[in-house]
Amino acid sequence: MENKFNIYNSLTRKKEAFNPIIEGRIGMYVCGPTVYSDVHLGNCRTFVSFDVIYRYLLHLGYTVRYVRNITDVGHLEGDADSGAEDKISKKARLEQLEPMEVVQHYTNGFHKMMQIFNALPPSIEPRATGHIIEQIEMVQEIIDNGFAYEKNGSVYFDTIKFAKSNDAYGKLSGRVIDDLLVETRDLKNQAEKNHPSDFAIWIKADPSHLMRWNSPWSVGFPGWHLECSVMSTKYLGKTFDIHGGGNDLKFPHHENEIAQNFGACKCAPANYWTHTNMLLMNGKKMSKSDGNSITPEELFTGNSEHISKGYSPMVIRFFMLQSHYRSTLDLTDAALLAGEKGYRRLMEANDVLMKLENATGSTDTEFDKEINSLINQAFEHMSDDFNTPMALARLFELVPKINGLKDGHLSLTDISADTLKRLKETFKVFIYDIFGLKDESLAATNGNGTMDGLMNLIIDIRQSARANKDWGTSDKIRDTLNELKILLKDGKDGTSWVKE
RNA sequence: GGACGUGUACUCAAGUGGCUAAGAGGAUGGAUUGCAAAUCCUUUAUUCGGGAGUUCGAAUCUCUCCACGUCCUCCA
C-alpha cells in the first residue's frame, strides 16, 4: 500500500492513481535524444525530470525497467517529400564523417552531460539503427493490417483510414480528425501521400543518402516515430505502464507512435503518458536563431551574456527541482542566483543535521509531532504527481528547526531519538536518492583530509587571536579567506567553514 | 488561422472549491557577534491579469476581454 502514487496522464488530462500492469513492476519508456548535435539544455531538463521520477519509483520499491532510446536514424529535417534530409546523414555529409561517427560523438557527449547532471543511466538504451529488422517487421505488420500503403518504394501510414477505424488518433494532442479531413486539397509537395497527414514509416533512400538498408520495398531507412514504437514494444511489451517525453513531442511524434502501435498490434502502447514542459529563458523559448539560447557549458562557465556568473550542475539541477515538471520553467540569472543560495542552505543544513546527536525527548512533544508531520507531507507531495517543489518546501521548513537544534534555540530534549534518526534518513533519501543532488562543497570532495587539517589550524590560530582581542589578526584571516571564497561561520560551539 | 497551455508578492515558484494563499531568493526590524558573516525570530500578496457569472463559499468552476507561451515544419 505504501507504494501508491498519483500520476498525471496526458491522455485523460487528469491526475490518476497509478496501477501497474504487473504488481510491483513498472515499464517506463522515455523518448531520448536524436544525436545529431550537442545536447540542448532543454533536453537536460526533461531527462532530469524523468530521472527524478525514475528515482522516486525506485524509492517506492518498484522494479523499474527504464528504457530511453537513442535516435540515430530517420529523423528528417523538413518533410520527406520536399527533398528533406535525415539529420544525421546531413551532419555526416557536411563534416565528412561516417554517420556512425556523428552518432558516437554526440552520444558520448550526451552521456557525459547526463553524468554531470547526475542522472542515472536507463536500464536499456536502445538505438534505432540496432533495430532495423524489427522496424521492417513492424512496417510489414502495419501493411498487413491495412493501415499503410507503399508508393515508389516508400511506405506511408494511412492516417485517414486509421482515424476512421478508431478514435485513438488525435486523442493525445487534441487534434481534431475532421480538420485533417478538410485539408485534403492541399497536396502540394506531397505527391506520394494519399493525404497530407499521412506520414512515412519507410523511406526510399535517394542515391546520395548515406544511411540505407535493404527492405522488401526499397533500399531505404525507417521513418522517425517508428523506432520508439518498435523498441518500446520489444523491451517493454505491446502495452506498458508509462511513456514519457517532452511536451513538444506530443504531436506529431507521440500521436504517430500511438497510431503505429495500434496499426501493428491493435492495442495502445502505454497506459500513462507523461510530458515535461519546456524550459524557457527570459520568458521565451530557447532558440539559437534568436540568440535566446545558452548551452550547458556556457551555463557552467558563465561565458554568456545572459548570466552574470557560472552555475554548477547541481545548482541547475536544484533550480529545476524548484518547479514542477509539467510547468514551464523560466531560466533567468536572478532565479539561478536564488537557486544557488537555496541549494547551499539545504546542503549545509544537511551537514548540520548529520552531526546532531543525543536526542532525548519523547515522541509526544508538539515539536516531535511537527517534524514527523513535515516529513510525511514531503513524501505525500512526491506521491502526488512527483511534486518536487512542494516536497522541497517541506524540507526547507525543517531547515530552521535543524539549525535551531544546533544553535540551541531548540532543544534536543524535545525530539525523540527515533525522530531525529528518521529526520536524518529523510534528508539523506530526499537529497541524494530522490532529488539526485550531490554535495559539491570542497569539504565533501576533498577526501584526503589535507584541507580539513589546514583549516583547523587556521581556525585555531584565529581563535587564539580573538581570545587576545587581536582583531587585526583575526579579521585578516577572515577577510583573506573570504577572498578565497572560504567562509568562516562562528557558532556557539566553535567555528566551521564552507567553500563557496 | 487551428490546438493546447499560462498569467499568483520585487524575482523564481507551489497551490485547481472551504482554516491566517507553500517554499526559495530579495528587502525589513530584532536576537546573536568584538565588528561582520552564518544562524534564529519578526515583517513583506485581505489578494491571485481585467470584468461578469455559478456557489453558503473561488486564485481554483463558467463566460468574456487583455497579455504571453508552446505546438500545428525540426525540437525535450
Side-chain angles (χ1 to χ4, degrees):
Chain A
M1 270 299 145
E2 277 186 34
N3 62 1
K4 294 295 175 205
F5 65 93
N6 294 323
I7 181 169
Y8 181 89
N9 192 346
S10 301
L11 269 179
T12 58
R13 296 166 211 269
K14 272 185 253 173
K15 262 190 224 172
E16 298 175 11
F18 177 81
N19 285 307
I21 293 166
I22 300 169
E23 191 56 42
R25 291 176 177 269
I26 292 177
M28 178 163 83
Y29 188 93
V30 172
C31 289
T34 299
V35 282
Y36 69 102
S37 69
D38 288 319
V39 63
H40 182 95
L41 191 62
N43 285 255
C44 296
R45 187 205 183 190
T46 291
F47 299 131
V48 165
S49 295
F50 282 108
D51 184 54
V52 172
I53 290 172
Y54 176 46
R55 287 166 175 272
Y56 191 65
L57 298 178
L58 292 175
H59 166 78
L60 289 177
Y62 285 98
T63 302
V64 184
R65 181 177 291 170
Y66 173 25
V67 180
R68 186 183 65 205
N69 67 290
I70 295 282
T71 295
D72 57 359
V73 67
H75 204 152
L76 300 180
E77 294 197 325
D79 190 78
D81 303 312
S82 54
E85 204 171 356
D86 180 289
K87 287 186 169 189
I88 285 153
S89 201
K90 178 182 178 186
K91 190 86 178 180
R93 182 172 56 74
L94 292 175
E95 299 191 2
Q96 296 195 306
L97 294 168
E98 270 293 320
M100 280 301 110
E101 278 185 286
V102 173
V103 166
Q104 191 66 54
H105 175 78
Y106 292 113
T107 301
N108 290 347
F110 171 65
H111 286 156
K112 189 178 166 205
M113 195 55 71
M114 288 300 100
Q115 272 183 8
I116 287 172
F117 279 115
N118 203 29
L120 297 172
S123 323
I124 302 174
E125 190 172 55
R127 288 188 183 188
T129 52
H131 299 76
I132 299 294
I133 291 170
E134 291 89 338
Q135 293 187 74
I136 289 171
E137 285 169 359
M138 186 173 275
V139 170
Q140 190 61 56
E141 284 176 59
I142 296 170
I143 291 174
D144 291 346
N145 285 331
F147 290 115
Y149 54 90
E150 188 250 320
K151 286 270 181 79
N152 302 324
S154 291
V155 181
Y156 297 95
F157 191 93
D158 190 335
T159 53
I160 300 303
K161 187 167 178 187
F162 177 67
K164 282 178 177 166
S165 75
N166 187 306
D167 68 352
Y169 199 67
K171 199 173 163 193
L172 180 69
S173 60
R175 307 287 142 158
V176 181
I177 253 336
D178 290 344
D179 291 350
L180 294 177
L181 293 167
V182 169
E183 37 173 291
T184 47
R185 309 233 180 275
D186 185 39
L187 286 169
K188 62 189 175 202
N189 294 332
Q190 315 243 15
E192 287 185 354
K193 293 189 197 174
N194 289 347
H195 190 275
S197 66
D198 290 354
F199 56 92
I201 54 181
W202 184 265
I203 301 157
K204 182 182 178 180
D206 73 52
S208 68
H209 201 276
L210 296 170
M211 304 176 85
R212 46 177 60 223
W213 289 266
N214 266 317
S215 80
W217 313 283
S218 63
V219 174
F221 56 100
W224 187 40
H225 320 309
L226 190 62
E227 82 280 18
C228 288
S229 289
V230 163
M231 297 189 291
S232 65
T233 301
K234 173 154 181 164
Y235 298 111
L236 297 170
K238 287 177 177 172
T239 299
F240 53 95
D241 297 295
I242 299 172
H243 190 127
N247 221 345
D248 49 352
L249 291 181
K250 262 190 199 169
F251 189 89
H253 184 60
H254 289 157
E255 204 67 82
N256 290 350
E257 216 182 306
I258 291 171
Q260 288 165 345
N261 283 302
F262 263 106
C265 75
K266 298 180 171 144
C267 59
N271 290 145
Y272 304 90
W273 284 80
T274 64
H275 291 94
T276 56
N277 217 134
M278 299 294 99
L279 180 66
L280 308 178
M281 186 161 72
N282 299 318
K284 293 207 166 156
K285 170 182 155 165
M286 285 199 196
S287 160
K288 278 182 193 168
S289 51
D290 298 352
N292 193 232
S293 173
I294 190 168
T295 66
E297 287 81 5
E298 287 168 344
L299 201 46
F300 301 152
T301 61
N303 181 26
S304 163
E305 58 174 324
H306 299 293
I307 50 175
S308 61
K309 62 188 283 286
Y311 298 95
S312 76
M314 286 306 109
V315 166
I316 297 158
R317 187 169 170 120
F318 176 88
F319 168 72
M320 291 173 176
L321 293 170
Q322 279 189 300
S323 75
H324 188 83
Y325 75 90
R326 282 193 288 112
S327 300
T328 52
L329 173 60
D330 194 7
L331 187 89
T332 63
D333 193 51
L336 285 168
L337 223 41
E340 180 171 72
K341 294 202 173 175
Y343 164 72
R344 285 191 184 145
R345 184 167 152 83
L346 182 70
M347 297 307 277
E348 284 165 25
N350 184 54
D351 285 345
V352 168
L353 172 62
M354 293 311 149
K355 288 173 187 155
L356 290 178
E357 299 286 352
N358 302 321
T360 58
S362 88
T363 53
D364 294 333
T365 65
E366 284 305 311
F367 183 60
D368 198 275
K369 287 176 185 165
E370 193 183 351
I371 300 284
N372 275 301
S373 169
L374 287 168
I375 291 171
N376 293 341
Q377 287 174 49
F379 284 109
E380 284 160 16
H381 291 312
M382 281 306 291
S383 289
D384 188 20
D385 196 30
F386 317 105
N387 200 322
T388 55
M390 289 282 265
L392 256 180
R394 297 293 82 76
L395 256 42
F396 269 106
E397 287 184 58
L398 288 163
V399 165
K401 303 190 188 307
I402 290 164
N403 286 325
L405 284 169
K406 186 206 174 199
D407 284 2
H409 294 109
L410 295 166
S411 172
L412 283 159
T413 60
D414 285 334
I415 182 171
S416 67
D418 282 350
T419 298
L420 179 61
K421 188 179 164 194
R422 185 175 179 227
L423 183 59
K424 288 183 182 183
E425 187 62 21
T426 299
F427 264 64
K428 197 163 81 71
V429 163
F430 259 107
I431 291 174
Y432 300 114
D433 298 348
I434 299 174
F435 292 154
L437 296 169
K438 285 191 293 192
D439 191 348
E440 292 177 326
S441 70
L442 191 60
T445 50
N446 173 55
N448 62 17
T450 305
M451 193 71 190
D452 270 338
L454 286 171
M455 285 308 300
N456 285 342
L457 175 66
I458 292 167
I459 287 168
D460 197 44
I461 291 169
R462 175 164 168 273
Q463 207 46 53
S464 303
R466 292 180 72 202
N468 295 330
K469 298 194 190 296
D470 179 2
W471 310 129
T473 302
S474 75
D475 288 355
K476 182 181 179 186
I477 290 172
R478 184 175 68 194
D479 297 343
T480 307
L481 287 174
N482 259 338
E483 284 168 24
L484 296 170
K485 301 281 185 198
I486 293 172
L487 299 182
L488 295 183
K489 298 180 177 184
D490 295 327
K492 279 211 162 60
D493 49 352
T495 300
S496 61
W497 63 278
V498 65
K499 175 95 165 75
E500 267 197 3

